[in-house]
């Protein structure tokens, strides 16, 4: 039973298209995240939600729009895709901001923009 | 200056040796530090976290923290080929409770 699951795992699309990635966690965590990992393995935070409230919004183009319908789900919609958006997008969750703060990652969604 | 810095490697060590992975961070107020392991094509998984100065041991892994030098390291004793992976250092932001800042990772190769 996967703790943090993302769909789709692979996404190949043309420039200019719009795409969405979905994430669900069954750990009962309050906080969910989107991270982007580029080809050099740099894992950069994009957004974080705590109990459906946006708490971290890094300098990300407004073509990226997260949405959290409830605390177990966090989706990412990307408009007008560009070549530079090609990366692996990881969803993660944690139990609040305190404590050990361990992040539990999904398997990643590899986005390729042609 | 990057917030969390790691040598990208690859760091190559023979099987059975000690692998030493290093990480420096820029924010002196940082309190919580994490080491994640990421196999190629997989997601990161937590190995250890450390909050206090000194050493913390868990099996073959030892995390070392020196807040005065803003330095955290991970030692892997008796390295195995299965330890070959990218090791990511992460620091929890002292200003934003939910923000974890990652280094670029060090690729470790353990040679059989």
């Amino acid at each position: 039973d996967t703790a943090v699951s993302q769909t789709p795992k692979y996404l190949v699309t043309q420039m200019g298209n719009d795409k969405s990635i979905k994430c669900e966690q069954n750990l009962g965590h309050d906080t969910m995240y989107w991270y982007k990992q580029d080809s050099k393995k740099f894992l950069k935070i994009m957004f974080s939600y705590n109990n459906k409230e946006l708490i971290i919004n890094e300098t990300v183009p407004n073509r990226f729009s997260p949405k959290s319908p409830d605390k177990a789900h966090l989706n990412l919609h990307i408009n007008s895709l560009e070549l530079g958006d090609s990366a692996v997008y990881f969803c993660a969750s944690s139990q609040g901001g305190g404590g050990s703060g361990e992040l539990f990652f999904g398997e990643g969604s590899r986005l390729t923009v042609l | 200056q990057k917030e969390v810095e790691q040598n990208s490697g690859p760091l190559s060590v023979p099987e059975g040796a000690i692998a030493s992975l290093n990480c420096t961070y820029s924010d002196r107020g940082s309190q919580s530090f994490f080491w994640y392991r990421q196999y190629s094509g997989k997601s990161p998984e937590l190995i250890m976290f450390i909050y206090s100065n000194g050493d913390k041991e868990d099996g073959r892994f030892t995390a070392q923290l020196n807040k005065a030098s803003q330095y955290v390291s991970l030692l892997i004793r008796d390295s195995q080929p299965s330890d070959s992976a990218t090791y990511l250092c992460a620091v929890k932001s002292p200003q934003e409770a939910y923000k974890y800042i990652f280094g670029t990772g060090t690729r470790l190769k353990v040679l059989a």
Side-chain angles (χ1 to χ4, degrees):
Chain A
D1 195 19
T2 307
V4 182
S5 57
Q6 300 177 224
T7 54
K9 288 187 173 43
Y10 299 96
L11 203 50
V12 180
T13 189
Q14 300 286 332
M15 276 177 55
N17 284 349
D18 303 338
K19 289 294 177 187
S20 292
I21 307 171
K22 296 187 175 184
C23 179
E24 175 181 3
Q25 55 97 1
N26 62 8
L27 298 168
H29 288 166
D30 295 327
T31 311
M32 295 185 73
Y33 309 76
W34 280 113
Y35 278 85
K36 178 182 179 182
Q37 188 170 47
D38 60 25
S39 57
K40 296 188 176 171
K41 292 289 193 181
F42 181 48
L43 201 58
K44 182 169 170 53
I45 190 165
M46 301 173 69
F47 303 103
S48 177
Y49 275 77
N50 181 255
N51 279 318
K52 302 192 296 177
E53 179 186 344
L54 181 65
I55 54 172
I56 295 175
N57 185 351
E58 290 292 286
T59 308
V60 176
N62 58 15
R63 298 181 294 103
F64 290 79
S65 51
K67 186 171 283 188
S68 181
D70 56 61
K71 73 173 194 176
H73 295 84
L74 180 61
N75 303 322
L76 182 65
H77 187 75
I78 316 170
N79 289 325
S80 304
L81 279 157
E82 299 178 357
L83 293 176
D85 298 332
S86 295
V88 180
Y89 292 84
F90 284 102
C91 176
S93 72
S94 70
Q95 185 50 49
S100 74
E102 177 178 358
L103 291 172
F104 291 80
F105 287 87
E107 293 181 328
S109 297
R110 181 176 293 276
L111 171 64
T112 303
V113 182
L114 303 174
Chain B
Q1 182 191 6
K2 289 184 183 172
E3 293 176 278
V4 179
E5 292 205 56
Q6 296 179 254
N7 187 319
S8 61
L11 172 67
S12 295
V13 300
E15 185 175 357
I18 296 175
S20 178
L21 305 161
N22 304 317
C23 173
T24 58
Y25 57 95
S26 60
D27 194 327
R28 188 170 286 279
S30 301
Q31 298 292 325
S32 306
F33 308 88
F34 305 82
W35 282 100
Y36 284 81
R37 177 177 61 200
Q38 186 176 22
Y39 291 112
S40 181
K42 301 294 185 183
S43 56
E45 54 180 344
L46 183 72
I47 299 175
M48 293 188 73
F49 60 87
I50 186 167
Y51 302 148
S52 304
N53 274 330
D55 294 0
K56 179 182 178 183
E57 188 174 317
D58 184 1
R60 295 187 297 113
F61 299 95
T62 299
Q64 299 176 317
L65 176 60
N66 184 326
K67 290 184 181 178
S69 300
Q70 295 174 239
Y71 177 95
V72 57
S73 64
L74 180 71
L75 302 179
I76 307 175
R77 288 182 299 283
D78 188 25
S79 295
Q80 302 296 309
S82 58
D83 295 325
S84 299
T86 297
Y87 290 79
L88 301 166
C89 173
V91 178
K92 192 171 176 185
S93 168
Q95 288 85 25
E96 298 179 74
Y98 301 91
K99 186 173 178 179
Y100 299 85
I101 304 163
F102 282 80
T104 51
T106 297
R107 194 163 134 235
L108 173 66
K109 287 184 172 180
V110 180
L111 308 172

